[in-house]
Amino acid sequence: DSGVTQTPKHLITATGQRVTLRCSPRSGDLSVYWYQQSLDQGLQFLIQYYNGEERAKGNILERFSAQQFPDLHSELNLSSLELGDSALYFCASSVTGGPYEQFFGPGTRLTVL
Amino acid sequence: AQSVTQLDSHVSVSEGTPVLLRCNYSSSYSPSLFWYVQHPNKGLQLLLKYTSAATLVKGINGFEAEFKKSETSFHLTKPSAHMSDAAEYFCVVSDSRGGGADGLTFGKGTHLIIQP
Protein backbone atom coordinates (compact mmCIF):
# COMPACT_ATOMS: atom_id res chain seq x y z
CA ASP A 1 0.00 0.00 0.00
CA SER A 2 1.60 3.26 -1.20
CA GLY A 3 -0.52 5.53 0.99
CA VAL A 4 -2.04 7.25 -2.05
CA THR A 5 -5.78 6.73 -2.38
CA GLN A 6 -7.94 7.16 -5.44
CA THR A 7 -11.68 7.08 -5.86
CA PRO A 8 -13.61 5.65 -7.50
CA LYS A 9 -11.90 2.41 -8.54
CA HIS A 10 -14.08 2.00 -11.58
CA LEU A 11 -16.20 4.45 -13.53
CA ILE A 12 -18.45 3.70 -16.47
CA THR A 13 -20.04 6.56 -18.33
CA ALA A 14 -21.26 7.63 -21.75
CA THR A 15 -19.71 9.78 -24.45
CA GLY A 16 -20.20 13.49 -23.92
CA GLN A 17 -20.40 13.19 -20.15
CA ARG A 18 -18.19 14.72 -17.48
CA VAL A 19 -16.54 12.88 -14.58
CA THR A 20 -14.35 13.76 -11.62
CA LEU A 21 -11.58 11.55 -10.31
CA ARG A 22 -10.28 12.09 -6.81
CA CYS A 23 -6.85 11.55 -5.28
CA SER A 24 -5.51 11.87 -1.75
CA PRO A 25 -1.71 11.99 -1.56
CA ARG A 26 0.47 10.36 1.07
CA SER A 27 0.55 12.22 4.33
CA GLY A 28 3.14 14.99 4.07
CA ASP A 29 3.47 14.91 0.28
CA LEU A 30 2.96 18.30 -1.34
CA SER A 31 3.15 17.31 -4.98
CA VAL A 32 0.45 15.44 -6.89
CA TYR A 33 0.73 14.09 -10.41
CA TRP A 34 -1.84 12.64 -12.78
CA TYR A 35 -1.07 10.00 -15.40
CA GLN A 36 -3.10 8.25 -18.06
CA GLN A 37 -2.40 4.65 -19.03
CA SER A 38 -3.92 3.36 -22.24
CA LEU A 39 -3.06 0.46 -24.51
CA ASP A 40 -2.06 2.61 -27.46
CA GLN A 41 -0.34 5.52 -25.66
CA GLY A 42 1.18 3.72 -22.69
CA LEU A 43 1.72 5.72 -19.50
CA GLN A 44 1.62 9.47 -20.06
CA PHE A 45 2.11 12.33 -17.65
CA LEU A 46 -0.85 14.69 -17.65
CA ILE A 47 -0.34 17.38 -15.05
CA GLN A 48 1.38 18.19 -11.75
CA TYR A 49 0.30 20.30 -8.80
CA TYR A 50 2.56 21.42 -6.01
CA ASN A 51 1.12 22.80 -2.78
CA GLY A 52 -2.06 23.94 -4.50
CA GLU A 53 -0.57 25.43 -7.62
CA GLU A 54 -0.16 24.01 -11.09
CA ARG A 55 3.50 23.17 -11.60
CA ALA A 56 3.76 21.43 -14.95
CA LYS A 57 1.65 20.19 -17.82
CA GLY A 58 2.25 17.16 -19.93
CA ASN A 59 0.02 15.66 -22.60
CA ILE A 60 -3.23 16.87 -21.09
CA LEU A 61 -6.16 17.60 -23.37
CA GLU A 62 -8.00 20.91 -23.13
CA ARG A 63 -11.13 18.97 -22.16
CA PHE A 64 -9.31 17.83 -19.03
CA SER A 65 -8.53 19.96 -16.01
CA ALA A 66 -7.31 19.44 -12.48
CA GLN A 67 -6.95 21.22 -9.20
CA GLN A 68 -5.35 20.70 -5.83
CA PHE A 69 -7.21 21.83 -2.76
CA PRO A 70 -5.89 23.36 0.50
CA ASP A 71 -5.96 19.94 2.18
CA LEU A 72 -3.73 18.78 -0.74
CA HIS A 73 -6.16 16.32 -2.24
CA SER A 74 -6.56 16.66 -5.99
CA GLU A 75 -9.31 16.18 -8.53
CA LEU A 76 -9.02 15.47 -12.23
CA ASN A 77 -12.01 16.60 -14.27
CA LEU A 78 -12.65 15.01 -17.63
CA SER A 79 -15.37 16.53 -19.81
CA SER A 80 -16.97 15.92 -23.21
CA LEU A 81 -15.78 12.35 -22.88
CA GLU A 82 -14.90 10.34 -25.95
CA LEU A 83 -14.44 6.62 -26.44
CA GLY A 84 -10.70 7.17 -26.64
CA ASP A 85 -10.62 8.56 -23.12
CA SER A 86 -11.19 5.08 -21.75
CA ALA A 87 -8.05 4.33 -19.75
CA LEU A 88 -6.55 3.83 -16.33
CA TYR A 89 -5.89 7.12 -14.58
CA PHE A 90 -3.23 7.12 -11.92
CA CYS A 91 -2.47 9.68 -9.30
CA ALA A 92 0.98 9.84 -7.74
CA SER A 93 2.49 11.95 -4.99
CA SER A 94 5.93 12.93 -3.81
CA VAL A 95 7.32 14.95 -0.94
CA THR A 96 8.30 17.84 -3.15
CA GLY A 97 8.68 18.41 -6.83
CA GLY A 98 11.93 17.46 -8.46
CA PRO A 99 13.42 14.13 -9.42
CA TYR A 100 12.21 12.14 -6.47
CA GLU A 101 10.37 8.89 -6.56
CA GLN A 102 6.66 9.15 -6.89
CA PHE A 103 4.24 6.90 -5.07
CA PHE A 104 1.32 5.73 -7.13
CA GLY A 105 -2.26 5.12 -6.18
CA PRO A 106 -4.20 2.06 -7.35
CA GLY A 107 -5.78 3.94 -10.25
CA THR A 108 -9.26 4.65 -11.52
CA ARG A 109 -10.41 2.64 -14.51
CA LEU A 110 -12.60 4.80 -16.73
CA THR A 111 -14.75 3.19 -19.38
CA VAL A 112 -16.56 5.43 -21.84
CA LEU A 113 -19.37 3.72 -23.75
CA ALA B 1 13.80 16.55 -23.65
CA GLN B 2 14.02 13.15 -22.06
CA SER B 3 13.06 9.76 -23.39
CA VAL B 4 13.29 6.12 -22.52
CA THR B 5 13.55 3.07 -24.75
CA GLN B 6 12.85 -0.36 -23.39
CA LEU B 7 14.47 -2.67 -25.87
CA ASP B 8 12.20 -5.67 -25.37
CA SER B 9 8.41 -5.61 -25.22
CA HIS B 10 8.33 -9.19 -23.88
CA VAL B 11 10.92 -11.27 -22.04
CA SER B 12 10.36 -14.91 -21.15
CA VAL B 13 12.63 -16.79 -18.72
CA SER B 14 12.42 -20.00 -16.77
CA GLU B 15 11.95 -19.92 -13.02
CA GLY B 16 15.33 -19.90 -11.29
CA THR B 17 17.21 -18.39 -14.24
CA PRO B 18 18.55 -14.82 -14.49
CA VAL B 19 16.44 -11.90 -15.63
CA LEU B 20 17.68 -9.04 -17.80
CA LEU B 21 15.38 -6.19 -18.80
CA ARG B 22 17.09 -3.61 -21.00
CA CYS B 23 16.59 0.15 -20.90
CA ASN B 24 18.30 3.03 -22.69
CA TYR B 25 17.59 6.64 -21.85
CA SER B 26 18.11 10.08 -23.28
CA SER B 27 18.28 13.19 -21.14
CA SER B 28 19.60 16.69 -21.59
CA TYR B 29 20.49 16.91 -17.93
CA SER B 30 21.75 14.59 -15.23
CA PRO B 31 18.92 12.11 -15.06
CA SER B 32 17.27 10.32 -12.21
CA LEU B 33 16.25 6.84 -13.28
CA PHE B 34 13.72 4.45 -11.83
CA TRP B 35 12.28 1.02 -12.42
CA TYR B 36 8.64 0.50 -11.54
CA VAL B 37 6.70 -2.77 -11.60
CA GLN B 38 3.01 -3.20 -12.30
CA HIS B 39 1.33 -6.48 -11.44
CA PRO B 40 -1.95 -7.31 -13.20
CA ASN B 41 -4.76 -5.00 -12.14
CA LYS B 42 -2.52 -3.27 -9.64
CA GLY B 43 -0.88 0.12 -9.35
CA LEU B 44 2.77 0.89 -9.91
CA GLN B 45 5.36 0.01 -7.31
CA LEU B 46 8.87 1.44 -7.16
CA LEU B 47 11.55 -1.25 -7.51
CA LEU B 48 14.63 0.92 -7.33
CA LYS B 49 16.00 4.36 -8.16
CA TYR B 50 19.23 5.98 -9.29
CA THR B 51 19.85 9.59 -8.32
CA SER B 52 23.56 10.20 -9.02
CA ALA B 53 24.96 8.27 -6.09
CA ALA B 54 26.26 4.71 -6.51
CA THR B 55 25.95 3.45 -10.07
CA LEU B 56 24.90 -0.04 -8.96
CA VAL B 57 21.52 0.25 -7.34
CA LYS B 58 19.86 -2.44 -5.27
CA GLY B 59 16.12 -2.60 -5.06
CA ILE B 60 13.40 -4.70 -3.58
CA ASN B 61 12.81 -8.40 -4.23
CA GLY B 62 16.41 -9.04 -5.31
CA PHE B 63 16.43 -6.70 -8.29
CA GLU B 64 19.42 -4.56 -9.23
CA ALA B 65 20.19 -2.02 -11.92
CA GLU B 66 23.42 -0.49 -13.11
CA PHE B 67 23.67 3.06 -14.41
CA LYS B 68 26.14 3.28 -17.31
CA LYS B 69 26.50 6.86 -18.48
CA SER B 70 28.77 5.99 -21.41
CA GLU B 71 26.15 3.59 -22.75
CA THR B 72 23.13 5.64 -21.57
CA SER B 73 21.74 2.44 -20.16
CA PHE B 74 20.00 1.39 -16.97
CA HIS B 75 19.37 -2.34 -17.31
CA LEU B 76 17.44 -4.25 -14.65
CA THR B 77 18.68 -7.63 -13.49
CA LYS B 78 17.81 -10.38 -11.04
CA PRO B 79 19.95 -13.49 -10.47
CA SER B 80 17.08 -15.93 -10.14
CA ALA B 81 13.54 -15.42 -11.37
CA HIS B 82 10.54 -16.31 -9.26
CA MET B 83 7.01 -16.94 -10.48
CA SER B 84 5.84 -13.88 -8.54
CA ASP B 85 8.10 -11.68 -10.71
CA ALA B 86 5.72 -12.04 -13.65
CA ALA B 87 4.54 -8.48 -14.31
CA GLU B 88 5.00 -5.39 -16.46
CA TYR B 89 8.20 -3.45 -15.81
CA PHE B 90 8.69 0.20 -16.65
CA CYS B 91 11.94 2.07 -16.97
CA VAL B 92 11.43 5.72 -16.06
CA VAL B 93 13.52 8.88 -16.38
CA SER B 94 13.28 12.26 -14.74
CA ASP B 95 15.83 14.93 -15.40
CA SER B 96 17.21 16.79 -12.40
CA ARG B 97 16.69 20.36 -13.49
CA GLY B 98 14.11 20.93 -10.82
CA GLY B 99 11.80 23.91 -11.18
CA GLY B 100 10.31 22.61 -14.40
CA ALA B 101 8.13 19.74 -15.47
CA ASP B 102 8.63 17.03 -12.92
CA GLY B 103 6.45 14.44 -14.51
CA LEU B 104 8.11 11.13 -15.09
CA THR B 105 8.73 9.84 -18.61
CA PHE B 106 7.89 6.16 -18.90
CA GLY B 107 9.16 3.57 -21.31
CA LYS B 108 6.58 1.45 -23.08
CA GLY B 109 7.10 -1.40 -20.66
CA THR B 110 8.51 -4.91 -20.77
CA HIS B 111 6.20 -7.81 -20.04
CA LEU B 112 8.13 -10.40 -18.02
CA ILE B 113 6.89 -13.97 -18.36
CA ILE B 114 8.18 -16.66 -16.02
CA GLN B 115 8.00 -20.23 -17.28
CA PRO B 116 7.68 -22.97 -14.62
Side-chain angles (χ1 to χ4, degrees), chain A residues 2 31 33 35 37 40-45 48 55-57 88 90 96-107 109, chain B residues 31-32 34 36 38 41-46 49 51 88 90 94-108:
Chain A
S2 67
S31 206
Y33 309 77
Y35 293 85
Q37 184 178 34
D40 51 346
Q41 299 290 333
L43 259 162
Q44 292 194 97
F45 165 63
Q48 177 197 2
R55 173 86 173 248
K57 273 186 172 179
L88 253 177
F90 287 107
T96 67
Y100 305 106
E101 65 264 37
Q102 297 175 16
F103 296 87
F104 283 76
R109 182 171 294 280
Chain B
S32 293
F34 310 85
Y36 280 83
Q38 185 178 27
N41 299 313
K42 294 286 178 69
L44 291 132
Q45 181 184 21
L46 179 69
K49 63 178 179 178
T51 54
E88 193 81 14
F90 294 94
S94 175
D95 70 49
S96 61
R97 296 173 285 168
D102 295 322
L104 302 175
T105 298
F106 283 76
K108 293 193 180 298

Coordinates of all heavy atoms in Angstrom, one line a residue, chain A residues 2 31 33 35 37 40-45 48 55-57 88 90 96-107 109, chain B residues 31-32 34 36 38 41-46 49 51 88 90 94-108:
Chain A
S2 N 0.7 2.1 -1.0 CA 1.6 3.3 -1.2 C 1.2 4.4 -0.3 O 2.0 5.3 -0.1 CB 1.5 3.7 -2.6 OG 0.2 4.2 -2.9
S31 N 3.3 17.3 -3.5 CA 3.1 17.3 -5.0 C 2.3 16.2 -5.4 O 2.4 15.0 -4.9 CB 4.6 17.2 -5.6 OG 4.6 17.7 -6.9
Y33 N 0.6 14.3 -9.0 CA 0.7 14.1 -10.4 C -0.4 13.2 -10.9 O -0.9 12.3 -10.2 CB 2.0 13.4 -10.7 CG 3.3 13.9 -10.1 CD1 3.6 13.7 -8.8 CD2 4.2 14.7 -10.9 CE1 4.7 14.2 -8.2 CE2 5.3 15.2 -10.3 CZ 5.6 15.0 -9.0 OH 6.7 15.5 -8.4
Y35 N -1.5 10.7 -14.2 CA -1.1 10.0 -15.4 C -2.2 9.2 -16.0 O -3.2 8.8 -15.3 CB 0.0 9.0 -15.0 CG 1.3 9.6 -14.5 CD1 1.5 9.9 -13.2 CD2 2.4 9.8 -15.4 CE1 2.7 10.5 -12.7 CE2 3.6 10.3 -14.9 CZ 3.7 10.7 -13.6 OH 4.9 11.2 -13.2
Q37 N -3.0 5.9 -18.4 CA -2.4 4.6 -19.0 C -3.4 4.0 -20.0 O -4.5 3.6 -19.6 CB -2.0 3.6 -18.0 CG -1.3 2.4 -18.5 CD -0.9 1.4 -17.5 OE1 -1.5 1.2 -16.4 NE2 0.2 0.7 -17.7
D40 N -2.8 2.1 -26.3 CA -2.1 2.6 -27.5 C -1.0 3.7 -27.1 O 0.0 3.8 -27.7 CB -3.0 3.2 -28.5 CG -4.0 4.1 -27.9 OD1 -4.2 4.2 -26.6 OD2 -4.7 4.8 -28.7
Q41 N -1.3 4.4 -26.0 CA -0.3 5.5 -25.7 C 0.6 5.2 -24.5 O 1.5 5.9 -24.2 CB -1.1 6.8 -25.3 CG -2.0 7.3 -26.4 CD -1.2 7.9 -27.5 OE1 -0.1 8.4 -27.3 NE2 -1.7 7.9 -28.7
G42 N 0.4 4.1 -23.8 CA 1.2 3.7 -22.7 C 0.9 4.7 -21.5 O -0.2 5.2 -21.4
L43 N 1.9 4.9 -20.7 CA 1.7 5.7 -19.5 C 2.2 7.1 -19.9 O 3.3 7.3 -20.2 CB 2.6 5.2 -18.4 CG 1.9 4.4 -17.3 CD1 2.8 3.6 -16.5 CD2 1.1 5.4 -16.4
Q44 N 1.3 8.1 -19.7 CA 1.6 9.5 -20.1 C 1.3 10.4 -18.9 O 0.3 10.3 -18.2 CB 0.8 9.9 -21.3 CG 1.1 9.3 -22.6 CD 0.5 10.0 -23.7 OE1 1.2 10.8 -24.4 NE2 -0.7 9.8 -24.0
F45 N 2.3 11.3 -18.7 CA 2.1 12.3 -17.7 C 1.1 13.4 -18.1 O 1.2 13.9 -19.3 CB 3.5 13.0 -17.4 CG 3.4 14.2 -16.6 CD1 3.0 14.3 -15.3 CD2 3.9 15.4 -17.2 CE1 2.9 15.5 -14.6 CE2 3.9 16.6 -16.5 CZ 3.4 16.6 -15.2
Q48 N 0.8 18.2 -13.1 CA 1.4 18.2 -11.8 C 0.9 19.4 -11.0 O 0.9 20.5 -11.5 CB 2.9 18.2 -11.8 CG 3.5 18.2 -10.4 CD 5.0 18.6 -10.4 OE1 5.6 18.9 -11.5 NE2 5.6 18.6 -9.3
R55 N 2.0 23.1 -11.5 CA 3.5 23.2 -11.6 C 4.0 22.8 -13.0 O 4.9 23.4 -13.5 CB 4.1 22.2 -10.6 CG 5.6 22.0 -10.7 CD 6.4 23.0 -9.9 NE 7.8 22.7 -9.9 CZ 8.4 22.3 -8.8 NH1 7.8 22.2 -7.7 NH2 9.7 22.1 -8.9
A56 N 3.3 21.9 -13.6 CA 3.8 21.4 -15.0 C 2.6 20.7 -15.7 O 1.7 20.1 -15.0 CB 4.9 20.5 -14.9
K57 N 2.6 20.9 -17.0 CA 1.6 20.2 -17.8 C 2.3 19.3 -18.8 O 3.4 19.6 -19.3 CB 0.9 21.2 -18.6 CG -0.3 21.8 -17.9 CD -1.2 22.7 -18.9 CE -2.5 23.0 -18.2 NZ -3.3 23.9 -19.1
L88 N -6.8 3.8 -17.8 CA -6.5 3.8 -16.3 C -5.9 5.2 -16.0 O -5.0 5.6 -16.7 CB -5.5 2.7 -16.0 CG -6.0 1.5 -15.2 CD1 -4.8 0.5 -15.1 CD2 -6.6 1.8 -13.9
F90 N -4.0 7.2 -13.2 CA -3.2 7.1 -11.9 C -2.9 8.5 -11.3 O -2.6 9.4 -12.1 CB -1.9 6.4 -12.1 CG -2.0 4.9 -12.4 CD1 -1.8 4.4 -13.7 CD2 -2.3 4.1 -11.3 CE1 -1.9 3.0 -13.9 CE2 -2.4 2.7 -11.6 CZ -2.2 2.2 -12.8
T96 N 8.2 16.5 -2.5 CA 8.3 17.8 -3.2 C 8.2 17.6 -4.6 O 8.0 16.5 -5.1 CB 9.6 18.5 -2.8 OG1 10.7 17.8 -3.4 CG2 9.9 18.6 -1.3
G97 N 8.5 18.6 -5.4 CA 8.7 18.4 -6.8 C 10.1 17.9 -7.0 O 10.8 17.6 -6.1
G98 N 10.6 17.9 -8.2 CA 11.9 17.5 -8.5 C 12.0 16.0 -8.7 O 11.0 15.3 -8.8
P99 N 13.2 15.5 -8.9 CA 13.4 14.1 -9.4 C 13.4 13.1 -8.3 O 14.3 12.3 -8.1 CB 14.8 14.2 -10.0 CG 15.5 15.2 -9.2 CD 14.5 16.3 -8.8
Y100 N 12.3 13.1 -7.5 CA 12.2 12.1 -6.5 C 11.2 11.1 -6.9 O 10.4 11.3 -7.7 CB 11.8 12.8 -5.2 CG 12.7 14.0 -4.8 CD1 12.4 15.3 -5.0 CD2 14.0 13.7 -4.3 CE1 13.2 16.3 -4.7 CE2 14.9 14.7 -4.0 CZ 14.5 16.0 -4.2 OH 15.4 17.0 -3.9
E101 N 11.3 9.9 -6.2 CA 10.4 8.9 -6.6 C 9.0 9.3 -6.2 O 8.7 10.1 -5.3 CB 10.7 7.6 -5.8 CG 10.5 7.6 -4.3 CD 11.8 7.9 -3.6 OE1 12.6 8.7 -4.2 OE2 12.1 7.3 -2.6
Q102 N 8.1 8.9 -7.1 CA 6.7 9.1 -6.9 C 6.0 7.9 -6.5 O 6.3 6.8 -6.9 CB 6.1 9.7 -8.2 CG 6.7 11.0 -8.6 CD 6.2 11.5 -10.0 OE1 5.2 11.0 -10.5 NE2 6.9 12.4 -10.6
F103 N 5.0 8.0 -5.6 CA 4.2 6.9 -5.1 C 2.9 6.9 -5.7 O 2.2 7.9 -5.7 CB 4.2 7.0 -3.5 CG 5.5 6.9 -2.9 CD1 6.3 8.0 -2.7 CD2 6.0 5.6 -2.5 CE1 7.6 7.9 -2.1 CE2 7.2 5.5 -1.9 CZ 8.0 6.6 -1.7
F104 N 2.5 5.8 -6.3 CA 1.3 5.7 -7.1 C 0.1 5.1 -6.4 O 0.3 4.2 -5.6 CB 1.6 4.9 -8.4 CG 2.4 5.6 -9.4 CD1 3.7 5.8 -9.3 CD2 1.7 6.1 -10.5 CE1 4.5 6.5 -10.2 CE2 2.5 6.8 -11.5 CZ 3.8 7.0 -11.4
G105 N -1.0 5.7 -6.7 CA -2.3 5.1 -6.2 C -2.7 3.9 -7.0 O -2.0 3.6 -8.0
P106 N -3.8 3.3 -6.6 CA -4.2 2.1 -7.4 C -4.9 2.3 -8.7 O -5.1 1.4 -9.5 CB -5.2 1.4 -6.4 CG -5.7 2.6 -5.6 CD -4.6 3.5 -5.5
G107 N -5.2 3.6 -9.0 CA -5.8 3.9 -10.3 C -7.3 3.9 -10.3 O -8.0 3.3 -9.4
R109 N -10.2 3.1 -13.1 CA -10.4 2.6 -14.5 C -11.7 3.3 -15.1 O -12.8 3.1 -14.5 CB -10.5 1.1 -14.5 CG -10.7 0.6 -16.0 CD -10.6 -0.9 -16.1 NE -9.3 -1.4 -15.8 CZ -8.3 -1.4 -16.6 NH1 -8.4 -0.9 -17.8 NH2 -7.1 -2.0 -16.3
Chain B
P31 N 20.2 12.7 -15.3 CA 18.9 12.1 -15.1 C 18.8 11.4 -13.7 O 19.8 10.9 -13.2 CB 18.8 11.1 -16.2 CG 20.2 10.6 -16.4 CD 21.1 11.9 -16.1
S32 N 17.6 11.3 -13.2 CA 17.3 10.3 -12.2 C 16.5 9.2 -12.9 O 15.7 9.5 -13.8 CB 16.4 10.9 -11.1 OG 17.1 11.9 -10.4
F34 N 14.5 5.3 -12.7 CA 13.7 4.5 -11.8 C 13.3 3.2 -12.6 O 13.1 3.2 -13.8 CB 12.5 5.2 -11.3 CG 12.7 6.5 -10.7 CD1 12.8 7.7 -11.6 CD2 12.8 6.7 -9.4 CE1 13.0 8.9 -11.0 CE2 13.0 8.0 -8.8 CZ 13.1 9.1 -9.7
Y36 N 9.9 0.8 -12.2 CA 8.6 0.5 -11.5 C 8.1 -0.8 -12.1 O 8.3 -1.2 -13.2 CB 7.6 1.6 -11.8 CG 7.8 2.9 -11.0 CD1 8.6 3.9 -11.4 CD2 7.0 3.1 -9.9 CE1 8.8 5.0 -10.7 CE2 7.1 4.2 -9.1 CZ 8.0 5.2 -9.5 OH 8.1 6.4 -8.8
Q38 N 4.5 -3.2 -12.4 CA 3.0 -3.2 -12.3 C 2.5 -4.6 -12.5 O 2.6 -5.2 -13.5 CB 2.4 -2.3 -13.4 CG 0.9 -2.2 -13.3 CD 0.4 -1.2 -14.4 OE1 0.9 -1.1 -15.5 NE2 -0.8 -0.6 -14.1
N41 N -3.7 -5.7 -12.9 CA -4.8 -5.0 -12.1 C -4.3 -4.3 -10.9 O -5.1 -4.2 -9.9 CB -5.9 -6.0 -11.8 CG -6.5 -6.6 -13.1 OD1 -6.8 -5.8 -14.1 ND2 -6.6 -7.9 -13.1
K42 N -3.0 -4.0 -10.8 CA -2.5 -3.3 -9.6 C -1.9 -1.9 -10.1 O -1.7 -1.7 -11.3 CB -1.5 -4.1 -9.0 CG -2.0 -5.4 -8.3 CD -2.8 -5.2 -7.1 CE -3.3 -6.4 -6.5 NZ -2.3 -7.3 -5.9
G43 N -1.6 -1.1 -9.1 CA -0.9 0.1 -9.4 C 0.6 -0.1 -9.6 O 1.1 -1.2 -9.6
L44 N 1.3 1.0 -9.7 CA 2.8 0.9 -9.9 C 3.5 0.9 -8.6 O 3.3 1.8 -7.7 CB 3.2 2.1 -10.8 CG 2.7 2.0 -12.2 CD1 2.0 3.3 -12.6 CD2 3.8 1.6 -13.1
Q45 N 4.5 0.1 -8.5 CA 5.4 0.0 -7.3 C 6.8 0.3 -7.7 O 7.3 -0.3 -8.7 CB 5.2 -1.4 -6.7 CG 6.1 -1.5 -5.4 CD 6.0 -2.9 -4.8 OE1 5.7 -3.9 -5.5 NE2 6.3 -3.1 -3.6
L46 N 7.5 1.1 -6.9 CA 8.9 1.4 -7.2 C 9.8 0.3 -6.8 O 9.7 -0.3 -5.7 CB 9.3 2.7 -6.3 CG 10.7 3.1 -6.5 CD1 11.0 3.7 -7.9 CD2 11.1 4.1 -5.5
K49 N 15.8 3.0 -7.6 CA 16.0 4.4 -8.2 C 17.5 4.7 -8.2 O 18.3 4.2 -7.3 CB 15.3 5.4 -7.3 CG 15.8 5.6 -5.9 CD 15.1 6.7 -5.2 CE 15.6 6.7 -3.7 NZ 15.0 7.8 -2.9
T51 N 19.9 8.1 -8.4 CA 19.8 9.6 -8.3 C 21.3 10.1 -8.1 O 21.5 11.0 -7.2 CB 18.9 10.1 -7.2 OG1 19.3 9.5 -6.0 CG2 17.5 9.8 -7.5
E88 N 4.5 -6.4 -15.5 CA 5.0 -5.4 -16.5 C 6.0 -4.5 -15.7 O 5.8 -4.0 -14.6 CB 3.8 -4.6 -17.0 CG 4.1 -3.7 -18.2 CD 4.0 -4.5 -19.5 OE1 3.5 -5.6 -19.5 OE2 4.5 -4.0 -20.5
F90 N 8.5 -1.1 -16.0 CA 8.7 0.2 -16.6 C 10.0 0.9 -16.2 O 10.2 1.0 -15.0 CB 7.5 1.1 -16.3 CG 6.2 0.7 -16.9 CD1 5.3 0.0 -16.1 CD2 5.8 1.0 -18.2 CE1 4.1 -0.5 -16.6 CE2 4.6 0.6 -18.7 CZ 3.7 -0.1 -17.8
S94 N 13.7 10.9 -15.1 CA 13.3 12.3 -14.7 C 14.6 13.1 -14.7 O 15.5 12.7 -14.1 CB 12.6 12.3 -13.4 OG 12.4 13.6 -12.9
D95 N 14.6 14.2 -15.4 CA 15.8 14.9 -15.4 C 15.9 15.8 -14.1 O 14.8 16.0 -13.5 CB 16.0 15.8 -16.7 CG 15.1 16.9 -16.8 OD1 14.9 17.7 -15.8 OD2 14.5 17.1 -17.8
S96 N 17.0 16.2 -13.7 CA 17.2 16.8 -12.4 C 17.3 18.3 -12.5 O 17.9 18.9 -11.6 CB 18.4 16.2 -11.7 OG 19.6 16.5 -12.5
R97 N 16.7 18.9 -13.5 CA 16.7 20.4 -13.5 C 16.0 20.9 -12.2 O 16.5 21.9 -11.7 CB 15.9 20.9 -14.7 CG 16.5 20.5 -16.0 CD 15.5 21.0 -17.1 NE 14.3 20.1 -17.1 CZ 13.2 20.4 -17.8 NH1 13.1 21.5 -18.5 NH2 12.2 19.6 -17.8
G98 N 14.9 20.3 -11.9 CA 14.1 20.9 -10.8 C 13.4 22.2 -11.4 O 13.8 22.7 -12.4
G99 N 12.4 22.6 -10.8 CA 11.8 23.9 -11.2 C 11.0 23.8 -12.5 O 10.3 24.8 -12.8
G100 N 11.1 22.7 -13.2 CA 10.3 22.6 -14.4 C 9.3 21.5 -14.3 O 8.9 21.1 -13.3
A101 N 9.1 20.9 -15.4 CA 8.1 19.7 -15.5 C 8.8 18.6 -14.7 O 9.8 18.1 -15.1 CB 7.8 19.4 -16.9
D102 N 8.1 18.1 -13.7 CA 8.6 17.0 -12.9 C 7.9 15.7 -13.2 O 8.1 14.8 -12.4 CB 8.6 17.4 -11.4 CG 9.4 18.6 -11.1 OD1 10.5 18.6 -11.7 OD2 9.0 19.4 -10.3
G103 N 7.1 15.7 -14.2 CA 6.5 14.4 -14.5 C 7.5 13.4 -15.0 O 8.5 13.8 -15.6
L104 N 7.2 12.2 -14.7 CA 8.1 11.1 -15.1 C 7.8 10.8 -16.5 O 6.7 10.8 -17.0 CB 7.9 9.9 -14.2 CG 8.1 10.1 -12.7 CD1 7.8 8.8 -12.0 CD2 9.5 10.5 -12.4
T105 N 8.9 10.3 -17.3 CA 8.7 9.8 -18.6 C 8.9 8.3 -18.6 O 10.0 7.8 -18.2 CB 9.8 10.5 -19.6 OG1 9.5 11.9 -19.6 CG2 9.6 9.9 -21.0
F106 N 7.9 7.6 -19.0 CA 7.9 6.2 -18.9 C 8.3 5.5 -20.2 O 7.9 6.0 -21.3 CB 6.5 5.7 -18.5 CG 6.1 5.8 -17.1 CD1 5.8 7.0 -16.6 CD2 6.2 4.7 -16.3 CE1 5.5 7.1 -15.2 CE2 5.8 4.8 -14.9 CZ 5.5 6.0 -14.4
G107 N 9.0 4.4 -20.1 CA 9.2 3.6 -21.3 C 7.9 2.8 -21.6 O 6.9 2.9 -20.8
K108 N 7.8 2.1 -22.7 CA 6.6 1.4 -23.1 C 6.3 0.2 -22.3 O 5.3 -0.4 -22.4 CB 6.6 1.2 -24.6 CG 6.5 2.4 -25.4 CD 6.2 2.1 -26.9 CE 6.1 3.4 -27.7 NZ 5.1 4.3 -27.2

